[in-house]
Amino acid sequence: MVSLNFSKSESGLLPAIVQDYQTNEVLMLAYINELAWKETVKTGKAHYWSRSRNKLWLKGETSGHIQKIHEILVDCDDDTVIYKVEQIGGAACHTGHRSCFYRRLENDALVVEGAPLFDPEKVYKK
């Protein structure tokens, strides 16, 4: 298995940029540790390390909106990856939006682009 340079970060976490495999749209940025990396490579589904929950996280384990890996790119320093994914269910963001980057800076305000594809309160039952 290809090894990444997890020792480069004090926390052992490396950034994972997530793009739609067909359009290259940036869907999200998350972090991986060695366990998340191994699970992603082994299963073909995106796994991350949740910094807020301090645990391994299979993207879509609650919502069903998993990310099927189509390609993985590794940078020249072995400390950042790009996951090219098929976003099952259409939405990558926990807010229900397709991308986590659904707000655009305009003048001195954030403007929301597009509508959520699902209601997070129903999906996450909060």
Side-chain angles (χ1 to χ4, degrees):
M1 172 181 280
V2 171
S3 295
L4 299 178
N5 193 352
F6 291 100
S7 65
K8 226 173 180 183
S9 161
E10 262 184 51
S11 64
L13 299 177
L14 301 179
I17 302 161
V18 184
Q19 292 181 294
D20 181 280
Y21 82 106
Q22 292 178 314
T23 67
N24 290 327
E25 174 186 16
V26 176
L27 300 176
M28 59 184 270
L29 170 79
Y31 293 89
I32 59 171
N33 63 5
E34 194 167 1
L35 177 60
W37 169 247
K38 287 179 179 177
E39 286 299 308
T40 296
V41 172
K42 181 173 87 174
T43 67
K45 296 176 184 172
H47 287 72
Y48 304 103
W49 185 259
S50 172
R51 295 178 301 163
S52 59
R53 294 175 284 174
N54 201 35
K55 69 174 211 152
L56 183 67
W57 157 45
L58 166 63
K59 177 67 175 157
E61 65 190 346
T62 302
S63 67
H65 298 177
I66 65 165
Q67 293 175 337
K68 181 180 171 191
I69 300 289
H70 279 259
E71 183 177 22
I72 298 175
L73 305 175
V74 178
D75 80 331
C76 57
D77 294 321
D78 296 328
D79 65 358
T80 303
V81 296
I82 296 175
Y83 289 168
K84 300 242 182 174
V85 304
E86 178 181 352
Q87 180 62 60
I88 307 300
C93 187
H94 72 279
T95 65
H97 289 86
R98 169 140 176 86
S99 168
C100 292
F101 299 97
Y102 62 92
R103 302 177 300 166
R104 175 178 36 84
L105 181 63
E106 188 173 293
N107 298 318
D108 205 22
L110 292 176
V111 177
V112 173
E113 296 184 332
L117 301 176
F118 69 83
D119 180 349
E121 288 188 18
K122 288 181 182 172
V123 169
Y124 300 112
K125 296 171 183 43
K126 290 183 180 178

